[in-house]
Amino acid sequence: MYSASFSAVKATSIATGETIMLGLNCGTVSSLAWPDLLAGIDAAIAIQDREADKAVHDLAQLGVSSGPCGAATLAALRGVLGGPHAAKRRATLQLGSDAVVVIVSTEGSHVYLDTAVEEAS
């Protein structure tokens, strides 16, 4: 949604599918939030469920309780900083070697991790 909206430079609705990131599964950007998002966000990235799931488990290993929506911030950061075009993205976003990036998770993991364990059994 955000990528389509940023490309079109207007709020654009998209079809959504199933995802573990239920709180982020919105097909239409908020008309109230859109002007601030357009003015204040430098980049947007889409991540896959497997990336969010890995981030949930990696954060849990560090003692951080986060569900898929919250861990999506770590997955997105990994997407920006990794891969074949990472240097170009870092330069575009002005993320030098001394950059400090803060990610925020406002979602706990207990329900998600309990469900993931039950489904794996």
Side-chain angles (χ1 to χ4, degrees):
M1 158 194 45
Y2 294 120
S3 181
S5 295
F6 286 126
S7 295
V9 194
K10 67 177 186 170
T12 303
S13 295
I14 62 165
T16 64
E18 302 239 352
T19 179
I20 63 172
M21 297 170 281
L22 299 176
L24 299 177
N25 193 17
C26 305
T28 302
V29 66
S30 162
S31 59
L32 189 62
W34 175 243
D36 292 328
L37 291 170
L38 185 60
I41 293 179
D42 295 320
I45 187 170
I47 61 166
Q48 302 298 313
D49 281 354
R50 70 183 182 289
E51 297 164 322
D53 181 69
K54 179 173 178 9
V56 166
H57 288 87
D58 290 347
L59 288 169
Q61 290 293 317
L62 297 170
V64 177
S65 175
S66 183
C69 292
T73 57
L74 174 59
L77 183 61
R78 288 174 170 167
V80 168
L81 300 180
H85 304 289
K88 181 179 179 183
R89 288 190 296 270
R90 284 176 184 250
T92 299
L93 295 171
Q94 300 177 351
L95 292 174
S97 61
D98 61 343
V100 175
V101 178
V102 176
I103 60 173
V104 177
S105 170
T106 60
E107 172 191 41
S109 66
H110 71 281
V111 173
Y112 174 74
L113 288 176
D114 289 346
T115 302
V117 170
E118 289 173 11
E119 289 175 0
S121 299

